[in-house]
Amino acid sequence: MKTHTLLMPLDMHLHLRDGVMLENIAPLSAYSFSGAIIMPNLVPPVTTLDDVKKYKKRIMATVPNDYFEPYMTLFYKNYDKAFLESVVDNITAIKLYPDGATTNSDGGVSSFDIEEMRETLEAMSELDIPLCVHGETAGFVMDREAEFMSIYELLAKNFPNLKIIMEHITTKAAVDMLDKYDNLYATITVHHLLLTLDDVVGGMMMPHHFCKPIAKRPEDLDALLSVALEAHPKVMFGSDSAPHPKNKKESCGCAAGVFTAPIALQLLCEIFEQYDKLDNLQAFVSDNAQSIYGICPEFKEVVLEKRPFEVPASYSDVVPLYAGKEIGWAIQSVE
Amino acid sequence: MKTHTLLMPLDMHLHLRDGVMLENIAPLSAYSFSGAIIMPNLVPPVTTLDDVKKYKKRIMATVPNDYFEPYMTLFYKNYDKAFLESVVDNITAIKLYPDGATTNSDGGVSSFDIEEMRETLEAMSELDIPLCVHGETAGFVMDREAEFMSIYELLAKNFPNLKIIMEHITTKAAVDMLDKYDNLYATITVHHLLLTLDDVVGGMMMPHHFCKPIAKRPEDLDALLSVALEAHPKVMFGSDSAPHPKNKKESCGCAAGVFTAPIALQLLCEIFEQYDKLDNLQAFVSDNAQSIYGICPEFKEVVLEKRPFEVPASYSDVVPLYAGKEIGWAIQSVE
C-alpha cells in the first residue's frame, strides 16, 4: 500500500473555540498535528496575558496525552511596547481582524491609520512578533480580498521588518503579492485548494462550503494550487478549520466556516499526489512554517496511506467538509 | 396617502408548479396580475397540446373568481412545424432550458446546434411564437450568463424573425445585448433589481436570496436598474417567482428560487419611487409586454399605497423574499 510520511505537521491557522466545542475538537487537531497557531477570536477576544495563559491552559487540558503545541495569539488592538514586551514570550503572533469581517471579529480594526498603528507595529517588528491578517475589505464579496492588497502594501512598505502573514488567501491577486515584498507571507487552507464559488452556490447552496473569505474563481484556485504545490517558501498550510454546530450551519443565515482539521492532512495528500507533488507536501505543511516563524515543534511522525476513507458524517455535532464522502487517503499511524 | 395605480400588470415569467403548491400560490398571482407567462418546467415538462390544455385547466381551477390569464408555454424540444401549427392557438411562447441549468430543466437543450434547431425555430418565426430562453452555460457561476451571450447572438442572427426573450437577465453583458439585435428582448425580476451576490453569501448565507441565475455584481445591478427604470421598450417585468417549500429552502443543499409573486408590485413601486421613476412603472409591468407579445390582457386596476407593509413570514409553506421585513408600499385595492 502506498504511504506518505509527514514530520511535525503544523496548522498555521486554527480555530479551537472554547468550552464544550474546544473539548470536542481540540483533540482532533492534537492527534495529527505537532502544533497550531490558535486564533484569538473568542467572545470576548484574547487581549491580555492572562487571557492567553488561561486559554492555553484550557486547550492543553483537552489534550493531556498528545504532543501538541498551541501557538497562542492575541487579538490585534493598538498595544503599547511595554505590554508587548510583557507578553512576547507567551505568544507567537498577533491576529488582526478588520472590524466585522468574519465570525467574532467585532472590535477589530475599523480604519487602517498607519500612524495610529505605528507604535504597536514597530514594537512587533522589534520583538519579532508576526502580524497575521484577515485581509478583506467591506466591499463586494468577490472583491474583498483583492481590494485589501493596497492595505497589505501599505503595511509591508511602512513596516519592512514586520512579518506580515496574509491569512487564508483565496485569490490570484494575493498570490501575486507574495514576491512583491520580502516581509509578506501567506497561509492557504485545504478547502481553498479544492473549492470555487461553484461549490458554494453553483449548483445547490452548500453551507458546509461557505466560509470567509469565500471560495473564488477557477483562475484563483489555479493560482493557489501553483504556489501550494510548489511549496513556495513564503507559503504555509493553515486550515482555518472553523467549527460551528451543525444546527448553526444548516439553518437559514448559516455561519461562515469550513471544518477540516481532522481530514486536512488526508486531503492534502490526495491533492499533492494528484499533481505528482507529494515530495513538496512536507515543506507546505511544516518546514516553511518552521522557517518563517522560527519555531521548533515537538517530534511527531504521521504516516498516511492511500486507501478509500469515508469522512464521518460529523465529529460530535460538527459536520466536516466532505461529510459522508469517500476520499483517497487515510491516516495509518501517528507517533 | 400617496398612491400609484397600475393597469393590467403582467408577470412575464412565472412558476406556478402543480398540485397543492399550485393551489396555494396561483391565487396570489391571480389577485394582483392580469396575466402571466407560465413556465412549463413541471415534472415531466409540458410538451404536448394535451399537457398545455390540462395544465391551464388546473391553473384556472385555482382562481375561479379572478380575471387572470395564464399565458401557456411549451418546454422547448425540436418540434416539427405541423405540431407547432396545432398548438399555436393554445400557447404564447416556448421556453428553452439548457439541460440541467436550473430546477426541473432536465431534458433541455444540451447543445446549440443551429441546424438541428432550424426547423423548429423557423416554424416559430413564421407562426410568431416567441422563444423564451434561460440563458446560462454550464460554466463558472458568475460567468454563465455572460458566456451565453454568444448563443443569443447565434440565435438572433440565424433567426432574425424570431422573437427571442432573454429571461431573467442579471448582467450588464445581457443589458448591452439588448440594442444589438432587433429581435432580442428581456425580462427582469424584481429580486435582481434589489440583490447582488453580497445578499446571498456576502454576510451570512441567505437561502431565500439564492436563485438561478444567481444575483451578480453591483455594476450588473446598476445596469439592470438603468433599463428597468427607463422602461426600455425591449424590457418587461417577469418575476421568475419560484416557490419551494420552506424545508427545501432552509436545508443543506437548498434549491434555487426566490418567491416574490405576492410582493412584486409593492417592491417595484418602492424601487421606482426611490429613483423618482414611478411614471415608467406602467410600461415596465405591462405596456412593454403587451407590445412585444402582442397580447391584450383583461382589464385590472391595481392601486398601491405608500405605507409600511410587513411581508408575511410565509404564504402557506413558502417563504417570500423579505419575509417578516417591512417594505414601503402595499396593495390598497384591485378591481
Side-chain angles (χ1 to χ4, degrees), chain B residues 204-272:
Chain B
M204 312 260 236
M205 198 170 209
M206 302 302 278
H208 296 295
H209 297 171
F210 173 58
C211 59
K212 295 186 178 183
I214 204 156
K216 302 294 191 308
R217 302 181 51 90
E219 55 268 35
D220 295 308
L221 174 60
D222 290 344
L224 297 172
L225 279 169
S226 71
V227 285
L229 292 168
E230 294 306 322
H232 184 297
K234 297 174 87 179
V235 163
M236 305 165 271
F237 172 64
S239 70
D240 194 18
S241 181
H244 292 279
K246 182 177 161 104
N247 65 347
K248 283 265 168 76
K249 284 297 282 184
E250 297 185 1
S251 62
C252 204
C254 107
V258 177
F259 182 59
T260 55
I263 56 161
L265 295 179
Q266 299 91 312
L267 288 173
L268 286 170
C269 273
E270 189 166 15
I271 297 166
F272 277 65

Side-chain angles (χ1 to χ4, degrees), chain B residues 59-70:
Chain B
I59 294 168
M60 294 311 288
T62 69
V63 293
N65 302 316
D66 285 292
Y67 295 113
F68 179 73
E69 179 69 27

Side-chain angles (χ1 to χ4, degrees), chain A residues 87-143:
Chain A
V87 295
V88 62
D89 292 340
N90 290 276
I91 62 170
T92 303
I94 295 179
K95 173 69 185 291
L96 185 157
Y97 291 92
D99 187 30
T102 189
T103 306
N104 303 343
S105 61
D106 294 350
V109 172
S110 50
S111 82
F112 287 84
D113 183 323
I114 291 296
E115 293 320 313
E116 278 188 17
M117 302 171 82
R118 185 170 294 281
E119 180 184 357
T120 310
L121 296 179
E122 283 185 349
M124 288 174 64
S125 305
E126 285 167 38
L127 297 166
D128 199 21
I129 304 171
L131 178 73
C132 300
V133 181
H134 181 115
E136 290 197 288
T137 68
F140 178 62
V141 62
M142 295 297 277
D143 299 343

